[in-house]
Amino acid sequence: MRTAPLTAQARQDALDALRASAERGNELDVLVIGGGVTGAGIALDAVSRGLSTAIVEAQDWASGTSSRSSKLVHGGLRYLQMLDFHLVREALTERDLLINHLAPHLVKPVSFLYPLENRIWERAYVGAGVALYDTLASVNGAKRALPIHRHLTRKGMERLFPDLRHDAAIGAVRYWDAAVDDARLVETLVRTAVSYGARAASRTQVHALQTTTGGAVTGAEVVDLETGDHIDVRARHVINATGVWTEQTESLAGSEGGLRVLASKGIHIVVPRSRIAGEVGLILQTEKSVLFIIPWSRYWVIGTTDTPWVQELTHPVATSADIDYVIEHANAVLSRPITREDIIGTWAGLRPLLQPQVKAGTTSAKVSREHTVASPAPGFTVIAGGKLTTYRVMAKDAVDFAIGSRATTLPSITNDLPLVGAEGLVVFQRQARAIGQKYGWSRPRMDHLLHRYGSLIGELIDLVDDDPSLAEPLANADAYIRAEIVYAASHEGALHLDDVLMHRTRLNYEQADKGVGALDEIADLVGPVLGWDDATRSREIAAYVARAEAEDAAAQETDDVSAEKVRLRAADLAPMLSVEDAKDKVGAGTKPGSPAGRGSSGPVGT
């Protein structure tokens, strides 16, 4: 397939297409609000059915929940305890589909130990549960993606995880799930949708919905936050996939109907891989949530928490109390306790917790335990809840619901639609040694590049062939080569340094300095691609440094209120419109309401 790059020009073309939709006969079939994993999945599902589709996101792609999850693709062992076998089977089917077919470059197997404290009853109980987990993964009729579980003695457990405290368990059950760079999955979904003809515009906020006198939604007024331009958009179906912003977006329709969503905060800490001796991950039950110790290539990710969040939704942060909680529970099983000094990064995200009641006035709803699709007004579909693993099912449900009877003749085909980077992956894997020798890249470096880009590595190679200096690693962030930074701006839709360090790479939490030491070099690489002058370059660097300092300072506070005040001292370069701005600038034929358009569905934890 032809792979379309996400460029600044492609974004402008998308805005032009949105503007043209206001002309009679040019209406879009589907306008998706929210650029998280659910919104991106909906855009791909809709465009692959032959529907003219556009997706808008008020900040960067995946800038909300979908870049702040536990980064796992899994069935959810805890749902077995709730006897929700259908949900577990559905998630395991999607997990295996991603590994085997849709995104084998992005989604990789990872094994976990479930430590056991009782030699007889607990081994039988947990073993039976994990056996059922494996069985549910095998009944979808497809090729099995992961090995079946194994029981380990204490000796076998300690061989795989030497730093597990000797008295913490008498043995363990080892089972397999998968991990993913969540932000890259979202960017890849958006890029795949664009490659099939969808229009995609980040930093584009919906702050009003167009409605008829009868209350039907017929489009939206959006604002290009980079320029301040207002654009009227006409669409036959508007789908709200804004996660924790669901109710704010619903209010733009001027009706009382819709879904209820609450935000719950989950945090993760990052410590160097060398700090904990272990080859596999751990899963631990706590009194409040499940705690994962997850192995990545250069570090461990440890989390999560589950606490109510009632502050602003854009910049949740990990407090000192949150960090202490995670450290305490990890140290309960580690023979060499970790300390604050070991932590090189943190992140916090918000789960969109779907409430069981729908608001009065909602004409219809499709409910599962995990997500709900509803219509608070004609022409307006809302989806909320869910988890990252089942984004494709959520997208299918949302589009089916929106187009009604047309779904029979235009069924979803995303179960058989590989994402960009998947086709041809095996060829590049077989050529990896030769490519590495030619460009001076080690085997770990090739693994890193193939995991991030799959067969799109050919596009990075083209950049290096044009400028051999791009084959070299960043001077102060050597996990990444210079070509990856250029590629973020030239092919992956990055518009700001924030986008590069937060979502195209993981430097914000992979390094103790949050990537600040590499800022000058990164700015020198993306600036020419994005047409920055000296003033813009300086402003971008200053904004990111302020963000990094504010995040570090917020993590020293003990409560959410204090941490929020500290974090918000750093201003956004392209801030969303306030409610007052939206009311002042609302256009004719629209109804005012809270600003919307920013959202990222998907789990923070399990």
Side-chain angles (χ1 to χ4, degrees), residues 61-69 71 182-183 186 347 502-503 509 600:
W61 306 116
S63 56
T65 304
S66 291
S67 61
R68 305 177 189 183
S69 75
K71 308 186 189 306
D182 47 8
V186 175
W347 73 80
M502 295 290 298
H503 308 130
Y509 55 81
S600 302

Side-chain angles (χ1 to χ4, degrees), residues 335-419:
S335 60
R336 293 188 300 148
I338 58 176
T339 68
R340 283 293 191 96
E341 288 67 35
D342 294 316
I343 297 174
I344 58 175
T346 66
W347 73 80
L350 302 178
R351 299 176 185 87
L353 297 182
L354 180 64
Q355 301 307 290
Q357 307 88 4
V358 297
K359 296 178 184 177
T362 303
T363 57
S364 54
K366 178 181 183 299
V367 181
S368 78
R369 177 184 288 272
E370 274 292 285
H371 68 269
T372 296
V373 187
S375 179
F380 189 41
T381 298
V382 182
I383 184 165
K387 55 190 293 180
L388 181 140
T389 304
T390 56
Y391 80 86
R392 195 194 65 80
V393 176
M394 294 174 66
K396 174 185 178 297
D397 288 349
V399 178
D400 280 350
F401 192 89
I403 66 176
S405 60
R406 294 183 68 195
T408 303
T409 55
L410 291 175
S412 176
I413 59 171
T414 53
N415 64 313
D416 195 32
L417 205 63
L419 305 187

